[in-house]
Amino acid sequence: MSIAEKSKLKFEMVTEHYQVKAHPQSNRLYHIELSTESLMKFFEAVKKENYSVQHLEYTPYARHIIASHLLDQVGEEFGALLRSIVHDRESGGFTLGLNGVTENTDDYVIFSTAVSHLVGIPNFDAMTGKYYARFSVKDTDNSDSYLRQAYRLFTLHTDGTFVDEPTDWLLMMKMVEQNARGGESRLLHLDDWNELDKYASHPLANHKFTYKAPSSKNVGQEVERLTFFNYHNKPGICYIDQFVYPETIEQSKYLSDLSNSMENDENVIELELPVGDLVVVNNIFWLHGRAAFEKDPNLYRELLRQRGRFNENNL
């Protein structure tokens, strides 16, 4: 049994309100199932207090209140469990769904907000001007990044590379999907990357590269980032191929080779995520991307994204 497999045992559990088990596609990720009764009671409590999506957007403390409503239904220890998983280097991620209790996308925003505020504090998302982003992938697209381009590989990367603030974790939730074949979420845990040592020990691993965002991100600043850094005495990574501006051929070759190595690693997971499910990963040692979709003129997928920092008061 590997170290990663052994680590699953410390969080696997069954309670009256939820079950935590190893994810069927990964010995790193967990899958958490909440009871139907707990989910229904959560949404009833939210509805009773008239917590709409607009209320959450306008009133930051309301986001913490609905997180407390989720804890009321599943137990106070649930928040600590989620944080323990995301902080755990041997795991650092989980999937969680609504089990068909609702198909209302406003409910998806509300539920994901409750989960995210148990993990940490979402950053302001300049692309949408909110604490979260909803974006679609369709057959045609004229955007200035790979995010919405359906028929090409969205290469492995970490979020928050071009902003000067911590981006410790990432939440993605599938809101709507129609006529979609392919397009799986691709994930790679840093410690599973076979050539990690080669690139983390390279002289350019400690070079500060310049990152600039395209206009659609609504971020005008430039930031300098180390590709690899020390995180609790193990490597952390900050990287995206689209927005990094190397200054030499040598630097460009290093970044290109690094990206190709990750993309072709045998340990990349192509995650199956049903509509109404979300995935949360530690953004410091998990990389993520998206496989290409198969061509379809009626393709449509909508995703929700939240990303942010850990709350020091909950560590």
Side-chain angles (χ1 to χ4, degrees), residues 67-181:
S68 74
H69 284 317
L70 184 57
L71 294 182
D72 288 342
Q73 303 308 322
V74 299
E76 286 291 330
E77 79 286 348
F78 187 70
L81 170 69
L82 297 187
R83 291 188 293 274
S84 294
I85 291 174
V86 177
H87 281 279
D88 179 28
R89 178 73 184 211
E90 300 300 336
S91 174
F94 62 86
T95 58
L96 176 63
L98 286 171
N99 302 331
V101 165
T102 176
E103 296 181 354
N104 185 314
T105 56
D106 279 1
D107 288 342
Y108 292 176
V109 175
I110 290 168
F111 179 70
S112 66
T113 299
V115 172
S116 68
H117 283 74
L118 295 178
V119 173
I121 306 295
N123 294 339
F124 175 75
D125 198 307
M127 189 175 80
T128 60
K130 303 175 182 179
Y131 68 92
Y132 68 93
R134 292 176 64 169
F135 54 89
S136 60
V137 180
K138 298 180 288 187
D139 179 56
T140 58
D141 175 71
N142 295 315
S143 68
D144 55 7
S145 76
Y146 296 157
L147 181 65
R148 294 185 175 89
Q149 295 184 18
Y151 303 124
R152 67 175 301 151
L153 177 71
F154 187 7
T155 44
L156 290 165
H157 62 282
T158 59
D159 269 25
T161 56
F162 52 79
V163 293
D164 189 19
E165 60 186 347
T167 308
D168 299 323
W169 54 266
L170 169 70
L171 179 154
M172 296 178 288
M173 187 172 194
K174 189 176 289 186
M175 308 284 276
V176 181
E177 186 167 75
Q178 300 166 356
N179 305 299
R181 295 179 302 280

Side-chain angles (χ1 to χ4, degrees), residues 44-303:
E44 287 171 4
V46 170
K47 184 177 181 180
K48 183 178 180 180
E49 296 194 12
N50 296 314
Y51 279 117
S52 65
V53 170
Q54 185 181 70
H55 190 181
L56 298 182
E57 292 173 358
Y58 289 1
T59 314
Y61 71 71
R63 306 165 198 168
H64 294 279
I65 298 299
I66 63 165
S68 74
H69 284 317
L70 184 57
L71 294 182
D72 288 342
Q73 303 308 322
V74 299
E76 286 291 330
E77 79 286 348
F78 187 70
L81 170 69
L82 297 187
R83 291 188 293 274
S84 294
I85 291 174
V86 177
H87 281 279
D88 179 28
R89 178 73 184 211
E90 300 300 336
S91 174
F94 62 86
T95 58
L96 176 63
L98 286 171
N99 302 331
V101 165
T102 176
E103 296 181 354
N104 185 314
T105 56
D106 279 1
D107 288 342
Y108 292 176
V109 175
I110 290 168
F111 179 70
S112 66
T113 299
V115 172
S116 68
H117 283 74
L118 295 178
V119 173
I121 306 295
N123 294 339
F124 175 75
D125 198 307
M127 189 175 80
T128 60
K130 303 175 182 179
Y131 68 92
Y132 68 93
R134 292 176 64 169
F135 54 89
S136 60
V137 180
K138 298 180 288 187
D139 179 56
T140 58
D141 175 71
N142 295 315
S143 68
D144 55 7
S145 76
Y146 296 157
L147 181 65
R148 294 185 175 89
Q149 295 184 18
Y151 303 124
R152 67 175 301 151
L153 177 71
F154 187 7
T155 44
L156 290 165
H157 62 282
T158 59
D159 269 25
T161 56
F162 52 79
V163 293
D164 189 19
E165 60 186 347
T167 308
D168 299 323
W169 54 266
L170 169 70
L171 179 154
M172 296 178 288
M173 187 172 194
K174 189 176 289 186
M175 308 284 276
V176 181
E177 186 167 75
Q178 300 166 356
N179 305 299
R181 295 179 302 280
E184 294 85 2
S185 295
R186 302 177 75 246
L187 299 170
L188 178 63
H189 191 288
L190 196 59
D191 296 346
D192 292 335
W193 177 21
N194 285 317
E195 294 191 307
L196 169 63
D197 290 344
K198 174 182 176 180
Y199 290 96
S201 62
H202 192 281
L204 288 171
N206 296 316
H207 175 77
K208 288 188 175 181
F209 287 96
T210 299
Y211 282 85
K212 307 175 189 178
S215 59
S216 66
K217 306 300 184 184
N218 297 323
V219 176
Q221 68 181 145
E222 297 181 9
V223 297
E224 292 185 339
R225 293 284 198 180
L226 295 173
T227 303
F228 294 96
F229 52 91
N230 184 291
Y231 182 69
H232 299 320
N233 298 318
K234 291 189 175 181
I237 188 168
C238 178
Y239 175 73
I240 186 168
D241 59 351
Q242 297 174 71
F243 312 138
V244 59
Y245 284 76
E247 298 175 342
T248 66
I249 292 175
E250 179 189 13
Q251 292 174 6
S252 299
K253 286 183 176 180
Y254 169 72
L255 295 173
S256 176
D257 290 346
L258 177 152
S259 187
N260 289 332
S261 174
M262 292 190 298
E263 296 299 333
N264 294 301
D265 194 276
E266 63 184 359
N267 293 307
V268 172
I269 304 162
E270 294 205 342
L271 186 70
E272 298 174 5
L273 194 69
V275 172
D277 275 26
L278 58 82
V279 56
V280 175
V281 293
N282 188 307
N283 190 58
I284 297 167
F285 50 79
W286 275 98
L287 298 119
H288 66 281
R290 187 189 64 228
F293 289 91
E294 295 182 28
K295 177 70 174 177
D296 192 311
N298 297 311
L299 167 67
Y300 184 80
R301 174 187 284 176
E302 184 178 358
L303 293 177

